[in-house]
Amino acid sequence: MKKHVVLYKKLSPGLMARLHAQAEVTLIDKLDSDGLTRLRDALPSAQGLLGASLRLDAELLDLAPNLEAVASVSVGIDNYDVDYLSQRNILLSNTPDVLTETTADTGFALILATARRVVELANLVRTGQWKQNIGPMHFGSDVHGKTLGIIGMGRIGEALAQRGHFGFGMPVIYHSHSVKPAVHKRFNAQHRSLPQLLEQADFICLTLPLTAETEGLIGAREFALMRPESIFINISRGKVVDEAALIEALRQGQIRAAGLDVFEREPLEHDSPLLQLNNVVATPHIGSATHETREAMARCAVDNLLAALAGERPLNVVNGEVWDRRRATMCT
Ligand code: DGY
């Protein structure tokens, strides 16, 4: 008998066809209040779940007693109660790797846009305010040759380092739990303590996941260590930063600009003080949002889910202990 999969994200026709061939599928294509009700109604018989951007907590998971696997169409797993999933023996998978380069491109887009004031100055042209040659008050700052500081040297951090080192001749410094000799070798990068990085980098880029340990990592004390010419970039998660402290740092000129793809609360409220500041470039969480990458992520999630439901190990398991337990049971 086919297993029941609940999708809370619309997939391309090809992927839908693949899923339909192997599972009974319930599609909830919008998570508005009607969609949430349909999701709750579908959960009791669901064996697989696939989607993104929904907080899947114990309360929702308790509605799904038959659930075997959850496939997230994201690399970030901060929406999931991983401990509870593991306790319930539910396999969680995500989609790393396929989005690394695209997300690093977004990081670099924000670096260039903030340093060269692209959005602000393009608006000048668009609104008919370009009346004469621009002068120093509209000049930006160089990117090439400046020090790139990366907090969280995972896959995306490395892809950012690659762009900075090879593309823009930037010295790379980074902060992460461990020193990474391979990164030193490839990008001539140097490990720094967090305070050292904040003091030394021209561009301070966050690429680390949101966890209990990283929540609120960058606050008033950290902004105070940055220099007035520093530019702050966040492509990780909004909650890694104390947003009120960031706004204050921008208002006080403690840093020059910020490029933000993620926010404490998303979507960002239209009346957020961040949007009143010309030196902020804010994008709507577009890190991995290209046609090619979103399709690759969805394909990866479908592969992960179908493998898990077929009793095979998905390529990208988050809670490996669940797989180990299942395998131990299969072998006995
Ligand atoms: C991810 O995959 O985690 C991206 O931030 C999109 O949510």
Side-chain angles (χ1 to χ4, degrees), residues 151 177 206 208-218 236-242:
I151 302 177
H177 277 315
L206 294 191
L208 74 189
L210 174 65
T211 62
E213 210 185 341
T214 63
E215 185 162 355
L217 180 74
I218 306 295
S236 67
R237 286 293 185 262
K239 287 188 176 149
V240 176
V241 180
D242 174 346

Side-chain angles (χ1 to χ4, degrees), residues 52-53 72-79 94-96 99 103 156 235-237 261-262 266 285-289 294 297:
S53 312
S72 186
V73 192
S74 69
V75 67
I77 49 159
D78 43 290
N79 279 341
N94 65 345
T95 61
L99 50 61
T103 308
I156 295 170
I235 53 169
S236 67
R237 286 293 185 262
D261 189 42
V262 288
E266 296 177 9
H285 201 145
I286 60 168
S288 60
R294 284 293 167 87
M297 289 165 71

